[in-house]
Amino acid sequence: MNINCLRTVTPPQPQVKLISLFSTRKSSNHCLSSLVLSLKLSSSVVMSYDKEFAAAKKAASIAARLCQKVQKALLQSDVQTKLDRSPVTVADYGSQALVSFVLERELPSEPFSIVAEEDSKDLRKDGAQDTLYRITDLVNDTLSIDGSYGSITLSTEDVLKAIDSGKSEGGSHGRHWVLDPIDGTKGFVRGDQYAIALALLDEGKVVLGVLACPNLPLASIICDYRHSADKEVGCLFFAKIGAGTYMQPLNGSSPVKVQVTAIENSEEASFFESYEKAHSMHDLSSSIAKVLSLPSISIFSLSHCQYFFAALYTSPLIRNLDFPKQKLGVKAPPVRIDSQAKYGALARGDGAIYLRFPHKGYREKIWDHAAGCIVVTEAGGVVSDVSGNPLDFSKGKYLDLDVGIIVANQKLMPAILMAVKESLEEKASSL
């Protein structure tokens, strides 16, 4: 399906920016305890990403085939260990080599820059030759089955060079592909969820993204995730700026447009969080889901005569009184799955909230969120830090975040941000 789309640059699209008016005690003296949605527009050069979009979908789909093949025959010898002790599989390297190869072949006239998770350092060490040969065979077998590039055969050095294409630092200038060849490698090793996550940055803005999720059921996972083994699996999510988000089976059937859930009542919401406790503080997520918080107030729902009462209600003096409070009150238990498959599932309305609060000292990488971010936002959702600021992918390999990441629809986000603020203050006061 060819989706034509034009977009604007600097910023590339009408951008909804969440501004937290209660981010500090000082600001709460003067502002409403709610979020203001401000629409920022700017005029600039109009460009198209049709070729890049098609190349990204093809690259992620081909890489997914290699990953599916390896996971089915996963052996203990496939798993290596990096310095951070997360597992790296032959599929991880093979996926990165394939994506790099396909993008360069499909877009030969464009400068090529890719920010990716892996490099070939471990594969160049003594004793890694067998692994390298196996990766090379897998890459060549996958390309042969695809048939798009004739009878081409890559050498081991070709594969190493393709893997090392991902050494770019990214940044706010030019175009940079952002790749996680297997997001959720621990899920991959367990035979659970993982994703091939590919996005394109242009002048620091995410302009397209693709998530290939080979194990994600085509039907909703929220009601019966643990019993979905017999369901048809394999989803491809793709989004281009201004064109919405689409999902199709990895087998290539017709895509359908998807949207985030329209749930307004937080008690009816379900939420996702990371499967691994090392990736997110589950206790904090649980406290936020049930935390006591003041009702959020949107200025768009207030008449002029209500502003005085809203400002009075949210002032420090009034907030310190013993007003009745209400719970965010999420009743459903969290759905814990690996990888950016959570972004895809949320984009199609499986759940309503995704909370991610890494442990102190952890730095979020852009490849863990870039593709998922645009998949959700083009489906009508919001992705922000805990102060309501959009994620900034323009600063290199890492995201400079305020504590964590929150994903939800626009209607739920104000109440969630208020609950997060309450929980973080309680956590700080208990230390």
Side-chain angles (χ1 to χ4, degrees):
M1 177 178 181
N2 184 26
I3 305 167
N4 294 314
C5 172
L6 297 179
R7 68 100 183 180
T8 59
V9 182
T10 324
Q13 67 169 348
Q15 182 181 1
V16 175
K17 183 178 181 181
L18 288 171
I19 304 173
S20 174
L21 298 183
F22 48 79
S23 57
T24 65
R25 286 294 186 188
K26 182 178 179 180
S27 64
S28 67
N29 291 334
H30 309 286
C31 303
L32 300 177
S33 293
S34 64
L35 296 178
V36 177
L37 297 177
S38 68
L39 196 61
K40 289 195 166 183
L41 303 174
S42 101
S43 59
S44 55
V45 182
V46 177
M47 301 180 67
S48 171
Y49 295 102
D50 288 345
K51 290 190 300 181
E52 292 83 357
F53 199 34
K57 289 189 288 183
K58 183 173 184 178
S61 297
I62 292 175
R65 293 173 203 156
L66 180 148
C67 295
Q68 288 172 306
K69 181 176 181 179
V70 174
Q71 192 180 52
K72 288 179 180 178
L74 186 63
L75 301 173
Q76 190 62 36
S77 59
D78 287 334
V79 180
Q80 300 183 11
T81 301
K82 287 191 294 189
L83 291 179
D84 65 359
R85 299 194 178 190
S86 64
V88 180
T89 66
V90 293
D92 223 349
Y93 293 115
S95 174
Q96 182 157 318
L98 276 173
V99 170
S100 297
F101 172 82
V102 172
L103 290 178
E104 288 197 89
R105 277 302 184 100
E106 296 295 321
L107 306 166
S109 62
E110 297 186 10
F112 188 68
S113 171
I114 182 168
V115 185
E117 184 171 16
E118 308 301 343
D119 61 49
S120 70
K121 181 173 64 175
D122 290 343
L123 294 176
R124 295 180 185 273
K125 293 180 179 178
D126 293 339
Q129 285 189 336
D130 288 345
T131 301
L132 177 57
Y133 288 143
R134 184 168 185 195
I135 293 167
T136 304
D137 288 342
L138 282 166
V139 169
N140 285 322
D141 287 347
T142 305
L143 290 173
S144 176
I145 293 171
D146 177 73
S148 298
Y149 305 103
S151 58
I152 189 170
T153 300
L154 303 185
S155 67
T156 54
E157 188 60 32
D158 292 332
V159 169
L160 291 172
K161 287 181 179 178
I163 292 170
D164 284 336
S165 294
K167 289 185 175 181
S168 171
E169 294 294 323
S172 59
H173 301 293
R175 292 186 180 185
H176 307 280
W177 291 97
V178 180
L179 170 68
D180 195 335
I182 295 184
D183 183 36
T185 48
K186 291 182 180 179
F188 178 86
V189 171
R190 289 198 312 271
D192 213 331
Q193 297 300 326
Y194 66 98
I196 296 89
L198 181 61
L200 178 62
L201 300 182
D202 195 348
E203 303 300 320
K205 306 293 184 180
V206 184
V207 296
L208 65 85
V210 179
L211 291 175
C213 306
N215 287 342
L216 190 67
L218 294 175
S220 174
I221 65 172
I222 203 65
C223 296
D224 198 23
Y225 173 59
R226 293 298 174 191
H227 302 284
S228 60
D230 58 337
K231 296 180 180 179
E232 186 179 357
V233 299
C235 301
L236 185 72
F237 297 91
F238 47 94
K240 185 168 59 172
I241 204 160
T245 298
Y246 290 78
M247 183 193 77
Q248 70 181 47
L250 271 174
N251 65 17
S253 300
S254 298
V256 294
K257 193 169 187 178
V258 296
Q259 289 185 311
V260 298
T261 179
I263 286 177
E264 299 182 40
N265 184 349
S266 59
E267 292 188 3
E268 299 174 1
S270 55
F271 75 98
F272 294 117
E273 61 182 356
S274 299
Y275 184 93
E276 297 287 340
K277 291 183 179 179
H279 294 167
S280 187
M281 294 182 283
H282 290 171
D283 56 342
L284 179 57
S285 296
S286 295
S287 70
I288 290 166
K290 299 174 183 177
V291 72
L292 295 173
S293 65
L294 287 166
S296 61
I297 304 173
S298 170
I299 65 169
F300 295 122
S301 64
L302 298 172
S303 65
H304 293 295
C305 64
Q306 290 174 302
Y307 281 111
F308 170 77
F309 297 104
L312 179 65
Y313 176 67
T314 56
S315 71
L317 291 175
I318 298 300
R319 285 172 62 85
N320 290 332
L321 297 179
D322 189 22
F323 272 94
K325 299 180 179 181
Q326 67 179 22
K327 288 187 177 183
L328 195 59
V330 175
K331 296 178 179 178
V335 177
R336 293 171 178 162
I337 62 176
D338 299 278
S339 83
Q340 289 176 73
K342 292 184 286 292
Y343 280 104
L346 194 144
R348 70 183 183 187
D350 283 12
I353 304 167
Y354 168 30
L355 302 174
R356 180 180 173 97
F357 299 99
H359 294 274
K360 186 176 181 180
Y362 180 81
R363 297 183 72 189
E364 293 281 9
K365 291 92 170 175
I366 61 173
W367 53 71
D368 287 326
H369 300 282
C373 183
I374 192 170
V375 163
V376 166
T377 56
E378 283 296 316
V382 182
V383 183
S384 80
D385 67 12
V386 299
S387 294
N389 302 308
L391 306 188
D392 185 354
F393 295 94
S394 70
K395 297 181 179 180
K397 291 185 176 182
Y398 296 96
L399 292 169
D400 292 330
L401 289 177
D402 185 359
V403 183
I405 294 174
I406 305 168
V407 186
N409 66 30
Q410 294 183 11
K411 295 176 181 178
L412 286 173
M413 186 61 87
I416 296 170
L417 287 171
M418 181 70 80
V420 170
K421 179 176 180 289
E422 294 280 346
S423 284
L424 291 176
E425 288 178 350
E426 288 177 7
K427 184 178 177 69
S429 64
S430 66
L431 296 177

Short mmCIF file of all heavy atoms in Angstrom, two decimals, residues 1-24:
data_model
loop_
_atom_site.label_atom_id
_atom_site.label_comp_id
_atom_site.label_asym_id
_atom_site.label_seq_id
_atom_site.Cartn_x
_atom_site.Cartn_y
_atom_site.Cartn_z
N MET A 1 0.85 -1.20 0.00
CA MET A 1 0.00 0.00 0.00
C MET A 1 0.88 1.23 0.00
O MET A 1 1.75 1.39 0.85
CB MET A 1 -0.88 0.01 1.26
CG MET A 1 -1.75 1.25 1.36
SD MET A 1 -2.80 1.16 2.82
CE MET A 1 -3.66 2.69 2.66
N ASN A 2 0.71 2.11 -0.95
CA ASN A 2 1.52 3.30 -1.05
C ASN A 2 0.79 4.47 -0.41
O ASN A 2 -0.28 4.86 -0.84
CB ASN A 2 1.82 3.61 -2.52
CG ASN A 2 2.75 4.80 -2.65
OD1 ASN A 2 3.52 5.09 -1.75
ND2 ASN A 2 2.67 5.46 -3.78
N ILE A 3 1.35 5.00 0.66
CA ILE A 3 0.73 6.10 1.38
C ILE A 3 1.53 7.36 1.09
O ILE A 3 2.64 7.52 1.57
CB ILE A 3 0.71 5.82 2.89
CG1 ILE A 3 0.03 4.48 3.16
CG2 ILE A 3 0.01 6.94 3.64
CD1 ILE A 3 0.24 4.00 4.55
N ASN A 4 1.00 8.24 0.27
CA ASN A 4 1.71 9.47 -0.05
C ASN A 4 1.53 10.47 1.07
O ASN A 4 0.45 10.63 1.62
CB ASN A 4 1.19 10.06 -1.36
CG ASN A 4 1.52 9.15 -2.53
OD1 ASN A 4 2.65 8.68 -2.64
ND2 ASN A 4 0.55 8.93 -3.39
N CYS A 5 2.59 11.15 1.38
CA CYS A 5 2.51 12.11 2.48
C CYS A 5 3.54 13.19 2.30
O CYS A 5 4.65 12.93 1.88
CB CYS A 5 2.77 11.40 3.81
SG CYS A 5 2.92 12.51 5.20
N LEU A 6 3.14 14.41 2.57
CA LEU A 6 4.06 15.53 2.62
C LEU A 6 4.20 15.95 4.07
O LEU A 6 3.27 15.85 4.85
CB LEU A 6 3.54 16.70 1.77
CG LEU A 6 3.41 16.41 0.30
CD1 LEU A 6 2.86 17.65 -0.40
CD2 LEU A 6 4.75 16.03 -0.32
N ARG A 7 5.36 16.47 4.42
CA ARG A 7 5.55 16.91 5.79
C ARG A 7 6.35 18.19 5.80
O ARG A 7 6.99 18.56 4.85
CB ARG A 7 6.24 15.83 6.61
CG ARG A 7 7.70 15.59 6.20
CD ARG A 7 8.60 16.31 7.16
NE ARG A 7 9.98 16.16 6.77
CZ ARG A 7 10.98 16.70 7.43
NH1 ARG A 7 10.77 17.41 8.50
NH2 ARG A 7 12.22 16.54 7.02
N THR A 8 6.28 18.89 6.92
CA THR A 8 7.02 20.13 7.05
C THR A 8 8.24 19.90 7.91
O THR A 8 8.28 19.01 8.74
CB THR A 8 6.14 21.21 7.70
OG1 THR A 8 5.72 20.76 8.97
CG2 THR A 8 4.94 21.52 6.83
N VAL A 9 9.25 20.73 7.70
CA VAL A 9 10.50 20.59 8.43
C VAL A 9 10.69 21.80 9.33
O VAL A 9 10.34 22.91 8.98
CB VAL A 9 11.68 20.47 7.44
CG1 VAL A 9 12.99 20.28 8.19
CG2 VAL A 9 11.44 19.33 6.48
N THR A 10 11.29 21.56 10.48
CA THR A 10 11.66 22.58 11.45
C THR A 10 10.50 23.38 12.02
O THR A 10 10.39 24.54 11.78
CB THR A 10 12.70 23.57 10.88
OG1 THR A 10 13.60 22.89 10.03
CG2 THR A 10 13.43 24.24 12.01
N PRO A 11 9.61 22.88 12.80
CA PRO A 11 9.45 21.46 13.05
C PRO A 11 8.75 20.78 11.90
O PRO A 11 8.06 21.43 11.14
CB PRO A 11 8.57 21.40 14.31
CG PRO A 11 7.77 22.66 14.23
CD PRO A 11 8.67 23.69 13.58
N PRO A 12 8.88 19.42 11.76
CA PRO A 12 8.38 18.76 10.57
C PRO A 12 6.88 18.58 10.54
O PRO A 12 6.36 18.14 9.54
CB PRO A 12 9.08 17.40 10.63
CG PRO A 12 9.37 17.18 12.07
CD PRO A 12 9.61 18.54 12.65
N GLN A 13 6.19 18.83 11.59
CA GLN A 13 4.74 18.64 11.56
C GLN A 13 4.12 19.51 12.63
O GLN A 13 4.79 19.96 13.55
CB GLN A 13 4.38 17.18 11.85
CG GLN A 13 4.72 16.76 13.29
CD GLN A 13 4.11 15.43 13.63
OE1 GLN A 13 3.28 14.91 12.91
NE2 GLN A 13 4.53 14.85 14.72
N PRO A 14 2.81 19.73 12.54
CA PRO A 14 2.15 20.33 13.69
C PRO A 14 2.39 19.45 14.89
O PRO A 14 2.07 18.27 14.87
CB PRO A 14 0.67 20.34 13.28
CG PRO A 14 0.70 20.32 11.80
CD PRO A 14 1.91 19.50 11.43
N GLN A 15 3.00 19.98 15.91
CA GLN A 15 3.41 19.18 17.04
C GLN A 15 2.63 19.55 18.28
O GLN A 15 2.57 20.71 18.65
CB GLN A 15 4.90 19.37 17.30
CG GLN A 15 5.41 18.51 18.45
CD GLN A 15 6.88 18.76 18.70
OE1 GLN A 15 7.50 19.57 18.03
NE2 GLN A 15 7.44 18.07 19.67
N VAL A 16 2.04 18.55 18.91
CA VAL A 16 1.36 18.79 20.17
C VAL A 16 2.38 18.66 21.28
O VAL A 16 2.97 17.61 21.46
CB VAL A 16 0.22 17.77 20.38
CG1 VAL A 16 -0.40 17.96 21.75
CG2 VAL A 16 -0.82 17.92 19.29
N LYS A 17 2.63 19.74 21.98
CA LYS A 17 3.59 19.73 23.08
C LYS A 17 2.86 19.79 24.40
O LYS A 17 2.02 20.63 24.63
CB LYS A 17 4.55 20.91 22.97
CG LYS A 17 5.62 20.88 24.07
CD LYS A 17 6.59 22.03 23.93
CE LYS A 17 7.64 21.96 25.02
NZ LYS A 17 8.60 23.06 24.95
N LEU A 18 3.20 18.86 25.27
CA LEU A 18 2.60 18.83 26.60
C LEU A 18 3.44 19.69 27.53
O LEU A 18 4.64 19.50 27.66
CB LEU A 18 2.58 17.39 27.13
CG LEU A 18 1.57 16.47 26.44
CD1 LEU A 18 1.81 15.06 26.90
CD2 LEU A 18 0.16 16.90 26.76
N ILE A 19 2.80 20.64 28.17
CA ILE A 19 3.50 21.51 29.10
C ILE A 19 2.95 21.26 30.49
O ILE A 19 1.77 21.48 30.74
CB ILE A 19 3.33 22.99 28.72
CG1 ILE A 19 3.79 23.21 27.28
CG2 ILE A 19 4.08 23.88 29.69
CD1 ILE A 19 3.49 24.61 26.80
N SER A 20 3.78 20.78 31.38
CA SER A 20 3.33 20.54 32.75
C SER A 20 3.36 21.84 33.52
O SER A 20 4.41 22.45 33.65
CB SER A 20 4.22 19.50 33.42
OG SER A 20 3.87 19.38 34.77
N LEU A 21 2.21 22.24 34.04
CA LEU A 21 2.14 23.48 34.80
C LEU A 21 2.33 23.25 36.29
O LEU A 21 2.20 24.16 37.08
CB LEU A 21 0.79 24.17 34.55
CG LEU A 21 0.57 24.58 33.09
CD1 LEU A 21 -0.76 25.30 32.97
CD2 LEU A 21 1.69 25.47 32.60
N PHE A 22 2.60 21.98 36.65
CA PHE A 22 2.86 21.73 38.06
C PHE A 22 4.22 21.08 38.23
O PHE A 22 4.46 20.34 39.16
CB PHE A 22 1.78 20.83 38.66
CG PHE A 22 1.48 19.62 37.83
CD1 PHE A 22 2.31 18.52 37.87
CD2 PHE A 22 0.37 19.61 37.00
CE1 PHE A 22 2.03 17.40 37.10
CE2 PHE A 22 0.11 18.49 36.23
CZ PHE A 22 0.92 17.39 36.29
N SER A 23 5.15 21.32 37.30
CA SER A 23 6.44 20.64 37.35
C SER A 23 7.26 21.07 38.56
O SER A 23 8.14 20.35 38.99
CB SER A 23 7.22 20.90 36.06
OG SER A 23 7.38 22.29 35.86
N THR A 24 7.02 22.25 39.09
CA THR A 24 7.71 22.69 40.30
C THR A 24 6.71 23.33 41.24
O THR A 24 5.64 23.78 40.85
CB THR A 24 8.80 23.72 39.98
OG1 THR A 24 8.18 24.89 39.47
CG2 THR A 24 9.79 23.18 38.94
#
